Amino acid sequence: MELAAYFRGDAGVLAVPAAGNAPTMWLLGSSGYSAKVAGMLGLPFAFAHHFSAANTLPALELYREHFRPSAMLAQPYSMIAAAVTCADTDERAHELALPSALQFLHLRLGDPRPLPGPEEVAAFDWTDAARAFVEQRHADQVIGSPETVRAGVEELVARTGVDELMVTTSTFRGEDRLRSYELLAGAVGLRPAAAAARPATGGA
């Protein structure tokens, strides 16, 4: 509310050039509390599905339940951020998504680290518990070939009923991330398939 006051010009402090130039304001959250606040304030709500998937549907339900029309919105408007990794095959996509899952495992174990490379992934002590964690982590994401990813994205949007989808992709190599975005865009019709199918050219 303090931030909104700067753009309205009634904050008691003149923030230049905020007054009269208000952008669309969203509330980003990963809990039921943030969902309720977004609803009560009549703001668009963005939920962090990519690291709090178990809370996605409950949070969106709370947001819609507590929504009050505002000068900005007459009805609820929501978005989720989802982790998506797309490659030419399902197997390759899961390989590309593995470093990110291992990084998240380290975080959960209280040992945050940079994104590991292929050598570190191969050398890791993959216990049954670690593999189970990664499988569950991947189950909450959309990973696969263009056909698999298109179906997964469509199912996720239908299940959550969101108005927008934000995609985040974490791979060790920048060119793999770019390729993933290109394949995804082609799969969902955001650019010509020929553009999405061209070979990766490298680069970060």
Side-chain angles (χ1 to χ4, degrees):
M1 296 308 297
E2 180 180 355
L3 179 62
Y6 288 125
F7 291 106
R8 289 195 307 265
D10 58 6
V13 174
L14 180 60
V16 179
N21 294 300
T24 300
M25 187 177 296
W26 289 69
L27 196 153
L28 168 65
S30 59
S31 69
Y33 174 77
S34 56
K36 289 181 181 179
V37 172
M40 290 187 292
L41 296 180
L43 294 174
F45 180 54
F47 188 80
H49 175 81
H50 60 304
F51 67 78
S52 187
N55 293 323
T56 300
L57 293 179
L60 290 172
E61 183 177 352
L62 284 171
Y63 169 61
R64 292 160 184 154
E65 177 186 342
H66 289 83
F67 184 82
R68 300 174 184 171
S70 67
M72 182 179 298
L73 283 178
Q75 57 189 11
Y77 193 93
S78 58
M79 168 171 60
I80 57 172
V84 179
T85 305
C86 191
D88 293 305
T89 66
D90 289 351
E91 181 181 15
R92 178 58 176 160
H94 279 274
E95 289 177 0
L96 294 176
L98 194 53
S100 178
L102 178 56
Q103 182 187 37
F104 201 77
L105 174 60
H106 284 309
L107 180 64
R108 284 293 177 87
L109 294 174
D111 182 25
R113 302 183 184 184
L115 188 68
E119 296 81 8
E120 185 177 344
V121 171
F124 183 71
D125 181 17
W126 288 103
T127 64
D128 290 342
R131 292 186 183 280
F133 178 89
V134 168
E135 288 177 4
Q136 180 56 56
R137 176 74 176 158
H138 282 180
D140 293 331
Q141 301 179 1
V142 182
I143 304 170
S145 66
E147 294 76 15
T148 300
V149 164
R150 181 178 64 250
V153 166
E154 290 175 350
E155 187 279 332
L156 180 60
V157 171
R159 176 160 48 93
T160 58
V162 292
D163 301 283
E164 295 187 31
L165 179 69
M166 179 185 292
V167 169
T168 178
T169 300
S170 180
T171 61
F172 184 71
R173 288 160 35 105
E175 52 263 42
D176 290 326
R177 184 168 62 251
L178 176 60
R179 176 68 171 162
S180 178
Y181 287 138
E182 290 179 334
L183 289 172
L184 171 62
V188 299
L190 293 180
R191 60 167 40 177
R198 72 174 184 271
T201 58

